[in-house]
Amino acid sequence: MFYNVREGKIKIENVSFDYIQFGTGKKTLIMIQGLNTNGIKGAGLSLAYMYRMFAKEYTVYLFDRRDDVHDGITVKDLALDIAAAMDELGLKMADVFGVSQGGMIAQYLAIERPDLVNKLVLAVTLSRNNDTVEMVVKNWIRLTEQGDFKTLVLDMADKMYSEDYIKRYRLFMPLLTMVQKPKNVERFLILAKACLTCEVYDLLEKIQCPVFVIGGAKDKVVTGKASEEIAEKLGCEIYLYEKLGHAAYEEAVDFNSRVLEFLKKK
């Protein structure tokens, strides 16, 4: 099968969630995606292709959020779900790569369960709220509650992608508003609210593993400064794309190679 892709579901007591596994490597990589309007179910092939660079070195696991998210759930709760999934699958001392909300979750995972994390990549994320993320996410919540999904999707694209990218693909924007409309509105609202629960900055010194911070200087969602303050607090390696924003992980052709280079360092 293409990149040995498997899609499955983990059930732990009364909690269940979808996951994707791919790759043939002996090492383990946990990838934690950011907030999106749809889940990962059915996206195994596309995600394996997007992250195919890791498939030789690693067996990669992508865990979705739990099926039964509830109002008031936090990114720390979601981190504990990842830990439970890793325990269930017997995964220890994995490299962890978190993007956006996934980076928030990854920080809590490294703090709460250091036995599970060998190296940590924090991409386009933050360790504490700021005015920008509060304004942006609360606007997405408002648009969702109003049922204005077209404006929601367009605003998400505007906040995430560079001006050049949007100009290049402007003809596809009407299609994007249809494809990216939330399938489960209540779920999206709950997970969007969870984005505003990350307050881990004062606990960062508890992260003992090597860390690489990577982001976009023009990030309109969490800000480039948020990446800088994580790296400054940890004294770790950082790379910022000066001309890119929150979707640097999609736009930068060398993004995954930079991540892999860090992970392969002795």
Side-chain angles (χ1 to χ4, degrees):
M1 187 176 289
F2 189 61
Y3 298 117
N4 281 3
V5 176
R6 283 179 45 200
E7 296 196 21
K9 184 177 286 289
I10 295 177
K11 294 184 179 180
I12 307 170
E13 295 181 355
N14 61 337
V15 175
S16 63
F17 39 90
D18 295 311
Y19 77 99
I20 293 168
Q21 176 184 338
F22 68 89
T24 58
K26 294 183 179 180
K27 295 187 292 185
T28 301
L29 178 63
I30 306 298
M31 299 189 66
I32 313 174
Q33 290 195 302
L35 174 71
N36 59 71
T37 53
N38 301 306
I40 66 172
K41 188 174 183 179
L45 290 177
S46 61
L47 287 169
Y49 181 77
M50 180 176 179
Y51 295 108
R52 62 193 180 280
M53 187 173 292
F54 301 98
K56 184 177 180 180
E57 294 273 343
Y58 289 94
T59 297
V60 183
Y61 295 84
L62 292 95
F63 298 107
D64 208 343
R65 312 304 187 245
R66 60 165 62 195
D67 291 343
D68 61 336
V69 294
H70 55 82
D71 198 30
I73 200 168
T74 67
V75 286
K76 181 178 179 179
D77 295 329
L78 298 172
L80 295 177
D81 283 348
I82 298 289
M86 292 178 69
D87 287 341
E88 181 73 10
L89 295 174
L91 305 176
K92 298 288 185 182
M93 293 304 290
D95 292 338
V96 177
F97 175 13
V99 177
S100 192
Q101 187 186 64
M104 302 174 197
I105 294 168
Q107 290 171 81
Y108 277 106
L109 179 65
I111 290 167
E112 296 294 325
R113 292 291 306 274
D115 59 304
L116 297 180
V117 184
N118 178 54
K119 285 188 175 183
L120 183 63
V121 177
L122 302 174
V124 294
T125 194
L126 51 69
S127 60
R128 58 183 175 184
N129 283 355
N130 56 54
D131 291 342
T132 299
V133 75
E134 288 269 356
M135 178 183 66
V136 169
V137 174
K138 285 181 179 179
N139 186 49
W140 292 348
I141 292 170
R142 179 183 62 83
L143 291 170
T144 304
E145 290 174 337
Q146 293 175 350
D148 191 353
F149 303 120
K150 179 178 179 180
T151 304
L152 168 69
V153 174
L154 291 175
D155 190 70
M156 291 180 77
D158 176 68
K159 294 298 188 297
M160 292 181 63
Y161 295 98
S162 66
E163 292 182 9
D164 288 344
Y165 186 94
I166 292 175
K167 288 178 181 177
R168 192 180 314 134
Y169 294 103
R170 65 185 181 277
L171 294 177
F172 296 96
M173 288 300 161
L175 177 62
L176 185 68
T177 60
M178 293 185 287
V179 173
Q180 293 300 323
K181 175 183 175 181
K183 291 180 180 179
N184 186 325
V185 173
E186 183 180 359
R187 179 180 177 83
F188 177 76
L189 280 170
I190 290 171
L191 292 175
K193 292 174 183 177
C195 285
L196 302 178
T197 66
C198 184
E199 291 295 339
V200 77
Y201 179 79
D202 292 333
L203 301 174
L204 287 177
E205 64 271 7
K206 293 186 176 182
I207 297 177
Q208 300 300 314
C209 65
V211 181
F212 176 41
V213 175
I214 183 168
K218 294 185 176 181
D219 195 319
K220 298 177 184 178
V221 180
V222 299
T223 76
K225 183 180 178 181
S227 291
E228 292 176 334
E229 70 176 13
I230 294 173
E232 183 178 354
K233 185 74 177 288
L234 291 173
C236 69
E237 183 179 351
I238 182 173
Y239 186 85
L240 288 183
Y241 291 92
E242 291 300 323
K243 296 183 179 181
L244 297 180
H246 198 67
Y249 62 97
E250 288 189 26
E251 291 192 59
V253 295
D254 64 344
F255 192 95
N256 289 339
S257 61
R258 288 185 182 277
V259 172
L260 184 59
E261 181 182 2
F262 165 75
L263 294 177
K264 290 172 70 173
K265 287 181 181 177
K266 299 294 185 181

